[in-house]
Amino acid sequence: MKKYNGKSIYKGVAAGTIKYYRKAEIDTSLREIAGEKAEDEVKRYENARNTAISQLNEVYEKAKTEVDEDTAAIFEVQAMMLSDDDYNDSIYKMIRSDHDNAEYAVQSTGDTFAKTFSDMDDEYMKARSFDIKDVSRRILCVLSGQEPESLASAVPFILAADDLTPAETVQLDKSKLLAFVTKYGSSNSHTAILARTMNIPAVTGVIINPEWNGKPAVVDGFTGEVIIEPDDETLAVLTKKQAEEEKCRKRLMELKGKDDVTRGGRHINLYANIGSVNDVEAVLENDAAGIGLFRSEFLYLGRDTYPTEEEQFVAYKNVARKMKNRKVVIRTLDIGADKKADYFKLDHEDNPAMGFRAIRICLERPELFKTQLRAIYRASAFGTVSIMYPMITSLQEVRRIKEISAEVRSGLSRENISYGNVEEGIMIETPAAVMVSEELAAEVDFFSIGTNDLTQYTLAVDRQNSKLEKFYDPHHPAVMKMIKMTIENGHKHDCWVGICGELGADTTLTGTFIEMGIDELSVSPASILSVREKIRETA
């Protein structure tokens, strides 16, 4: 038994098998193949595919022996996918007709087929989307001469990795994930936010050893401790802690169906933050009154082309329908900084957190922006949808946004396409927006304070830099004063004000925010009931 100490970024205790993940860098960029070389490139692909099938068959046999046949069947299914005629014909066409290199053809085909599966209504077929990405990645590893790595698993696992990008967290098989252990990252990283959304333990700051792969382990998200090959005594202690956590969870579950009202009779809108359509189930399970932050960038990550209007419309409509007229606040594209998508072709920036990102991209690329707005407005006909714009710094930006959204509505009306009565709001996450919040409030329906970035920009601390963790203080008096100023200025113009940053789930501040006059708190689904408990205890 060996113990390793890190920093807890989300509470809870998990026991299971470690899955070590180290992503190999594979070049899948487009390269033109000479016509006479196309058949050689086809042969390269076929050899790589056959090797991948052999690898999967070996994994299948091993899993049958070590686990059980039903569980091992996932690898048999993946091997069968590589013999699918449609999948292979797509790759052959790209190589033979378009003269694309094998790596690009496999990556593009994998993304296209994965998207097709993920859009299906059947849950089994949706799950095959992850398998397609996984088998395509396996072929790419063979083509590049690298060992295949995978984020898929037939059994629940504890994920150990140096770090995970937002795109990688989007592609995780979340149904099997028990806990995160990472070397890099902070309590404000996207891995941490995902852990809070999923309500699973997470620890960072641990030097990951590849030899942990396949070994039993326990992650204690309360203490930040990771224990490899725990002994019986340690397991007993942690099992008791799990039982206590379960007791607390059951107590909170009794609050489902209760009103989010203080003892003094003040109602607070308690909403949830989500990162994809799949998170809606957690929102409903935890009894949130609505969705206060729907991060739309998941539609843009983990792919190599822009999502179409129809793709976006289907995603937004599905969420709106599932929420059954509960409010759904969709934040427009927030790509840039640490959220990268190569096909955006963004220039390298020395300080991307303050660079070309979020609303700045949308205003510079209005057709991209209009496509997303059309999809959101169309979806608004199927529920109660609001739009929220990120990274606002000026009145001029808001007025330009309103001009563009008016153009979109006019276009839809001319086409006789229905849309609902959509509130428009902005995120207050820059000091500039705070200082002109009274003027901004006169232009919009609501504010949502993004405390993660507001803290970052106010304190001049990169929240993704783990070395600066001790300087990142969301309780700083300057941050508190900015939140209070924003609430007061919003209310001067009947603009409701919420908090959608991680600070909203900090129950030590719930009473303070209510005293300031906050109208709404939007937190991870797993935090809904603990915040409800605090609201109901507040005078």
Side-chain angles (χ1 to χ4, degrees):
M1 180 177 80
K2 290 187 178 180
K3 295 184 179 181
Y4 301 86
N5 291 312
K7 177 181 175 57
S8 171
I9 53 177
Y10 196 63
K11 65 184 181 180
V13 177
T17 300
I18 289 279
K19 183 176 183 61
Y20 174 68
Y21 172 73
R22 179 174 58 195
K23 181 180 178 181
E25 292 296 326
I26 299 175
D27 182 7
T28 60
S29 58
L30 176 61
R31 297 190 306 278
E32 186 174 351
I33 302 299
E36 64 273 15
K37 297 289 185 181
E39 288 307 313
D40 291 340
E41 196 70 2
V42 167
K43 192 65 178 175
R44 272 188 75 225
Y45 164 68
E46 289 178 338
N47 288 338
R49 183 194 65 196
N50 291 337
T51 299
I53 291 173
S54 295
Q55 290 174 347
L56 286 165
N57 287 335
E58 288 176 12
V59 175
Y60 168 68
E61 293 298 332
K62 186 171 185 287
K64 270 201 309 184
T65 303
E66 297 181 2
V67 192
D68 59 63
E69 189 156 359
D70 288 342
T71 304
I74 183 174
F75 302 109
E76 186 177 37
V77 170
Q78 288 190 347
M80 291 169 62
M81 285 179 170
L82 292 182
S83 298
D84 180 78
D85 289 340
D86 290 337
Y87 179 85
N88 285 296
D89 287 346
S90 171
I91 293 170
Y92 290 149
K93 178 182 180 299
M94 292 183 73
I95 297 174
R96 287 175 171 143
S97 301
D98 302 337
H99 297 162
D100 295 338
N101 56 305
E103 289 85 354
Y104 181 80
V106 170
Q107 182 71 54
S108 298
T109 298
D111 287 344
T112 300
F113 276 66
K115 183 68 175 63
T116 299
F117 278 113
S118 67
D119 285 345
M120 294 181 180
D121 290 333
D122 183 86
E123 289 303 316
Y124 175 83
M125 299 308 290
K126 282 181 181 289
R128 302 289 69 77
S129 171
F130 190 85
D131 291 323
I132 285 287
K133 285 182 177 290
D134 198 49
V135 296
S136 298
R137 180 73 186 178
R138 184 176 287 273
I139 294 174
L140 290 171
C141 284
V142 177
L143 285 169
S144 65
Q146 301 188 49
E147 285 298 313
E149 84 296 318
S150 173
L151 282 170
S153 176
V155 295
F157 63 96
I158 295 169
L159 180 63
D162 282 349
D163 199 6
L164 290 169
T165 67
E168 286 165 341
T169 61
V170 165
Q171 297 177 54
L172 276 168
D173 185 359
K174 300 176 184 66
S175 66
K176 301 290 194 304
L177 196 58
L178 297 173
F180 285 115
V181 181
T182 60
K183 178 180 179 181
Y184 303 111
S186 69
S187 57
N188 303 288
S189 67
H190 289 277
T191 303
I193 291 171
L194 179 62
R196 287 189 279 272
T197 299
M198 296 175 62
N199 195 26
I200 62 172
V203 173
T204 190
V206 178
I207 304 299
I208 308 296
N209 187 336
E211 293 180 2
W212 294 355
N213 192 55
K215 292 185 176 180
V218 172
V219 177
D220 188 339
F222 293 99
T223 64
E225 198 170 50
V226 179
I227 304 167
I228 306 298
E229 297 182 311
D231 58 27
D232 291 342
E233 183 180 350
T234 301
L235 279 174
V237 171
L238 291 170
T239 300
K240 182 179 179 182
K241 187 178 282 192
Q242 274 185 313
E244 291 170 352
E245 185 184 10
E246 179 64 16
K247 184 178 179 181
C248 177
R249 189 191 70 82
K250 287 182 177 179
R251 187 192 77 244
L252 290 175
M253 292 300 285
E254 293 176 0
L255 292 171
K256 288 179 68 171
K258 303 289 187 182
D259 292 331
D260 299 305
V261 177
T262 67
R263 286 189 294 161
R266 180 146 181 265
H267 179 78
I268 305 296
N269 288 317
L270 185 53
Y271 297 158
N273 300 334
I274 67 169
S276 76
V277 177
N278 295 333
D279 294 336
V280 176
E281 299 307 319
V283 174
L284 297 173
E285 172 64 24
N286 288 280
D287 196 35
I291 293 171
L293 170 60
F294 180 6
R295 300 180 179 94
S296 65
E297 50 269 20
F298 86 97
L299 286 162
Y300 297 80
L301 296 171
R303 55 186 296 152
D304 58 8
T305 57
Y306 294 106
T308 65
E309 177 184 325
E310 196 64 24
E311 287 175 320
Q312 295 186 66
F313 164 64
V314 169
Y316 305 144
K317 180 183 72 171
N318 286 344
V319 172
R321 276 182 163 170
K322 287 181 178 180
M323 290 302 292
K324 297 179 180 177
N325 286 320
R326 299 186 193 187
K327 187 184 291 291
V328 176
V329 179
I330 301 174
R331 181 177 71 186
T332 57
L333 176 63
D334 192 8
I335 286 287
D338 60 322
K339 287 172 278 189
K340 302 292 187 185
D342 290 343
Y343 62 90
F344 272 74
K345 294 181 169 39
L346 302 177
D347 294 334
H348 170 76
E349 296 178 309
D350 292 333
N351 193 355
M354 294 188 178
F356 189 51
R357 57 174 294 199
I359 201 64
R360 296 168 180 175
I361 294 176
C362 291
L363 292 178
E364 287 294 313
R365 303 181 183 182
E367 292 310 311
L368 169 70
F369 193 28
K370 288 178 181 178
T371 297
Q372 181 172 33
L373 290 178
R374 280 179 58 90
I376 296 173
Y377 273 109
R378 287 173 59 195
S380 71
F382 299 87
T384 305
V385 172
S386 301
I387 304 177
M388 179 162 69
Y389 305 105
M391 195 64 183
I392 298 299
T393 61
S394 71
L395 197 59
Q396 290 73 24
E397 287 171 334
V398 171
R399 287 176 176 165
R400 178 59 186 140
I401 289 167
K402 291 175 72 175
E403 289 174 359
I404 293 173
S405 65
E407 291 172 16
V408 168
R409 292 193 301 274
S410 295
L412 292 172
S413 296
R414 286 194 300 272
E415 297 170 47
N416 293 318
I417 296 175
S418 299
Y419 58 88
N421 183 19
V422 177
E423 284 187 325
E424 290 185 282
I426 60 172
M427 289 193 70
I428 303 293
E429 51 190 337
T430 66
V434 174
M435 299 312 294
V436 295
S437 54
E438 185 172 352
E439 292 86 345
L440 292 171
E443 298 284 336
V444 298
D445 298 306
F446 67 93
F447 289 157
S448 190
I449 304 171
T451 56
N452 303 355
D453 271 338
L454 182 59
T455 302
Q456 169 176 244
Y457 296 132
T458 301
L459 303 184
V461 173
D462 179 358
R463 66 188 178 97
Q464 300 295 329
N465 188 337
S466 58
K467 292 180 180 178
L468 300 178
E469 185 92 12
K470 64 181 179 181
F471 298 106
Y472 184 89
D473 178 16
H475 290 217
H476 193 288
V479 177
M480 292 297 106
K481 286 182 179 179
M482 287 194 167
I483 293 173
K484 189 172 188 294
M485 181 187 297
T486 300
I487 295 169
E488 291 173 348
N489 286 338
H491 288 171
K492 288 177 183 178
H493 293 278
D494 296 324
C495 173
W496 64 263
V497 184
I499 292 176
C500 67
E502 295 300 313
L503 213 56
D506 186 341
T507 53
T508 67
L509 289 173
T510 304
T512 301
F513 293 147
I514 291 173
E515 186 178 343
M516 287 180 180
I518 201 73
D519 302 298
E520 176 245 24
L521 294 169
S522 190
V523 301
S524 66
S527 298
I528 289 290
L529 296 177
S530 60
V531 175
R532 174 171 295 165
E533 182 179 54
K534 196 65 179 179
I535 289 171
R536 292 172 63 84
E537 291 173 354
T538 302

